[in-house]
Amino acid sequence: MVIFIYVTILIRNPNNIYPICYALIVSSVLFVLSFDSTLGNPLQGRNKGITSNPNLLGMFMLYGIFSITILWNKINYKTKLILAGVFLIALYGIMASASRKSLFSAVIFIALWLTIIFRTEKNLIKTLFTIFSVVLIIYFVYDIYFLDSYMAFRMDYVEQSGEGRFDIASEGWRLFKSSPFFGVGLGTFQDHSQYEKYAHNDFFELIATLGLIGLIIYVLIYAWLINLIRKARKSIKNYNVRYILNVFLYIIVTMIFLGLGRPHFFDIFSMGMFGIMSGYTLGVLLNRNKINEY
């Protein structure tokens, strides 16, 4: 929450979002460059590189993709070509981390983002350029890397893995019933689990560790942010700002989906992303008269 509040205050000026997005993009590239050569090797494990958590690696690649799409409508073609390359690197990073939930989330977000381009972009050349770039990147990653990757190997076990995670989620429900209002304690799910694993689900992890009260607060944060963005969209006429607000809505949808496979409500990177969205949107509302002049 400290990170969330700090970033929200930091981006009280909407223009501050751009350097932060570039910083996230550069960080994504550095994350990939730091990957150990054994990352994704089923014999040596996935826990290599800048962090021991491969799902966190995949998640940070998602933030790089989010940042690229936020900037996309504002940058020129030369910068778009550069960021298309970074987009490719980010997708490779997700593949290398072998994080299935990050891959599924990326596919969902990219599909949703393209609907924004279809609905709002009036320039046919820009629309075709964006679609061609995305299709080419996805094809390149799929054909050159995915088919022989550890990610493809793990995809063969989605059903089996899903059964195991269903058992863990059921355990979360059992913990919730033992302490329905306040839960068994934040961050203690793994200690109470017979499988000694976290819930692999935002909502079951929350309801088990913080109870019904914690879950309600968490859902209200999503509801508040969505309502804030919708309010800003209604009061802003500026095309570029409305585009970013639309991207925010789809980032939230993606984060909710990601939460179905990975608890990230106490992750500092997630709180940073939520802070970026809330800070920018609040800044837009405070400066809406000035923004609407342009």
Side-chain angles (χ1 to χ4, degrees):
M1 288 304 296
V2 173
I3 295 294
F4 172 77
I5 295 171
Y6 172 75
V7 176
T8 297
I9 295 173
L10 181 65
I11 312 184
R12 62 188 182 277
N13 181 344
N15 289 326
N16 289 345
I17 193 175
Y18 301 113
I20 290 180
C21 284
Y22 279 115
L24 285 172
I25 291 169
V26 172
S27 298
S28 298
V29 175
L30 294 177
F31 264 52
V32 175
L33 294 178
S34 74
F35 282 177
D36 189 281
S37 60
T38 61
L39 184 68
N41 188 318
L43 299 178
Q44 301 186 47
R46 297 187 292 141
N47 301 336
K48 302 291 182 181
I50 202 168
T51 173
S52 61
N53 189 333
N55 292 322
L56 180 58
L57 290 172
M59 194 171 177
F60 205 86
M61 296 303 105
L62 266 179
Y63 296 153
I65 291 174
F66 291 161
S67 299
I68 290 170
T69 58
I70 289 171
L71 296 172
W72 191 262
N73 198 55
K74 188 178 178 63
I75 55 180
N76 57 37
Y77 282 109
K78 185 180 294 185
T79 307
K80 282 183 178 179
L81 286 173
I82 296 173
L83 290 189
V86 178
F87 201 112
L88 176 62
I89 292 173
L91 284 178
Y92 163 77
I94 291 176
M95 295 294 178
S97 72
S99 174
R100 293 170 297 189
K101 59 186 70 67
S102 297
L103 177 62
F104 291 142
S105 299
V107 170
I108 287 174
F109 175 73
I110 292 169
L112 291 173
W113 174 58
L114 286 177
T115 66
I116 300 177
I117 302 299
F118 273 118
R119 288 189 294 108
T120 62
E121 181 57 70
K122 299 178 181 179
N123 188 313
L124 180 61
I125 295 178
K126 287 184 178 180
T127 302
L128 294 176
F129 177 82
T130 300
I131 296 172
F132 176 76
S133 299
V134 172
V135 171
L136 185 63
I137 289 169
I138 292 176
Y139 173 77
F140 183 85
V141 172
Y142 177 81
D143 189 57
I144 304 298
Y145 185 78
F146 176 76
L147 294 177
D148 296 321
S149 69
Y150 185 39
M151 175 72 85
F153 173 81
R154 296 192 77 217
M155 284 294 185
D156 291 335
Y157 296 91
V158 169
E159 184 176 351
Q160 179 181 350
S161 175
E163 292 176 357
R165 295 187 181 187
F166 178 79
D167 293 336
I168 299 174
S170 299
E171 191 173 50
W173 183 252
R174 176 182 61 79
L175 292 174
F176 161 68
K177 290 191 294 183
S178 69
S179 182
F181 293 105
F182 300 101
V184 296
L186 181 63
T188 64
F189 188 100
Q190 197 165 347
D191 298 329
H192 291 85
S193 170
Q194 63 176 323
Y195 304 102
E196 298 183 349
K197 294 181 178 180
Y198 61 90
H200 287 81
N201 185 294
D202 239 353
F203 305 98
F204 279 107
E205 179 96 16
L206 257 172
I207 205 169
T209 60
L210 292 179
L212 193 59
I213 294 176
L215 181 63
I216 291 173
I217 293 174
Y218 184 58
V219 172
L220 286 177
I221 292 175
Y222 274 110
W224 170 78
L225 187 54
I226 291 172
N227 184 63
L228 189 71
I229 294 171
R230 289 170 62 87
K231 182 179 179 181
R233 287 175 63 206
K234 290 180 180 179
S235 61
I236 295 297
K237 301 176 182 178
N238 184 284
Y239 169 70
N240 290 326
V241 173
R242 288 178 61 85
Y243 164 81
I244 292 176
L245 293 172
N246 285 327
V247 172
F248 284 172
L249 287 175
Y250 287 150
I251 289 176
I252 293 173
V253 171
T254 305
M255 296 292 278
I256 292 174
F257 177 82
L258 184 64
L260 298 177
R262 180 182 189 271
H264 58 76
F265 64 91
F266 51 76
D267 186 290
I268 61 172
F269 295 112
S270 293
M271 290 301 100
M273 183 57 63
F274 283 122
I276 289 172
M277 292 188 288
S278 64
Y280 179 86
T281 307
L282 286 171
V284 164
L285 286 171
L286 291 173
N287 297 277
R288 56 180 174 270
N289 292 332
K290 184 178 179 179
I291 292 173
N292 282 332
E293 291 177 0
Y294 297 96

